[in-house]
Amino acid sequence: MFRLSFALLAASVATAASANAPVYNANISEADVLAAQGAWCNALVAINRAGEEKGHAAARQLAGEVLDAAYGYNLGPVLFKPTLAAPPQTFRTTRDGALAYFVGGDPAFKDDTGFALKGWTACRAENAALHINGDVATSMGNVILTNKAGELTPVDKPWTFKKGDDGKLRIVVHHSSLPYSAR
């Protein structure tokens, strides 16, 4: 009686089938996360520049494009807690809430003055740690913002990214807060 082990059979089938088989891999790499964080920082500065050079409408347009490209509103609610937001609008789970925070001008969010329009000239992310598991990655660390006077503002920022079926990383959790000060 001829017996072929399952492992041997599986290996021979896998080898024969893999020569031209398409592969879907949604795993996120560290480089993916760093690129997404860098793109977010570049976009924040670009939104500010658009506002200064072309006006509020241009900044709003660009901010909307950034939200559509970088955030996972196409996947469901995004868990967004802005740095400078107060109850009852502390948490923003909609695109409109995030857009209002970044550029202001929305009567439904009257306290928002446009975080992205605060004169930021540079931005960089500094991670304390990354946790990557398949198509989801969480980072925790700081974003360091630079204003026109060269002053640095650190912001505590955990992000969670999800890689969608389109292969793009999207922010699905964005929390920002100012560092604690015992003074």
Side-chain angles (χ1 to χ4, degrees):
M1 179 178 259
F2 179 73
R3 291 189 183 211
L4 187 60
S5 76
F6 180 74
L8 183 58
L9 179 60
S12 65
V13 170
T15 302
S18 66
N20 293 314
V23 175
Y24 174 74
N25 182 348
N27 291 331
I28 296 174
S29 70
E30 180 180 3
D32 292 334
V33 174
L34 299 178
Q37 291 172 324
W40 186 93
C41 279
N42 291 340
L44 183 72
V45 173
I47 293 165
N48 180 74
R49 189 176 314 112
E52 289 176 349
E53 295 174 2
K54 299 177 184 170
H56 186 265
R60 183 177 178 80
Q61 174 69 32
L62 180 55
E65 292 170 10
V66 168
L67 287 171
D68 293 341
Y71 287 79
Y73 291 104
N74 60 323
L75 303 172
V78 171
L79 311 179
F80 179 32
K81 190 279 179 193
T83 312
L84 305 173
Q89 297 177 330
T90 302
F91 304 106
R92 311 293 177 89
T93 59
T94 66
R95 182 185 183 277
D96 288 345
L99 184 60
Y101 181 73
F102 281 115
V103 295
D106 185 333
F109 299 90
K110 62 180 174 44
D111 293 333
D112 288 347
T113 58
F115 180 79
L117 305 178
K118 301 291 184 199
W120 308 121
T121 60
C123 172
R124 72 179 188 278
E126 294 180 353
N127 292 313
L130 296 175
H131 180 100
I132 300 172
N133 189 354
D135 67 349
V136 176
T138 300
S139 66
M140 183 172 66
N142 296 109
V143 167
I144 310 300
L145 303 167
T146 306
N147 68 15
K148 290 178 185 179
E151 300 165 327
L152 302 179
T153 301
V155 178
D156 296 342
K157 191 170 295 290
W159 272 312
T160 298
F161 301 91
K162 171 134 177 67
K163 187 178 271 190
D165 290 340
D166 60 2
K168 296 180 182 175
L169 233 54
R170 306 268 186 193
I171 299 166
V172 294
V173 177
H174 171 158
H175 178 276
S176 295
S177 60
L178 294 173
Y180 172 75
S181 175
R183 295 184 235 159

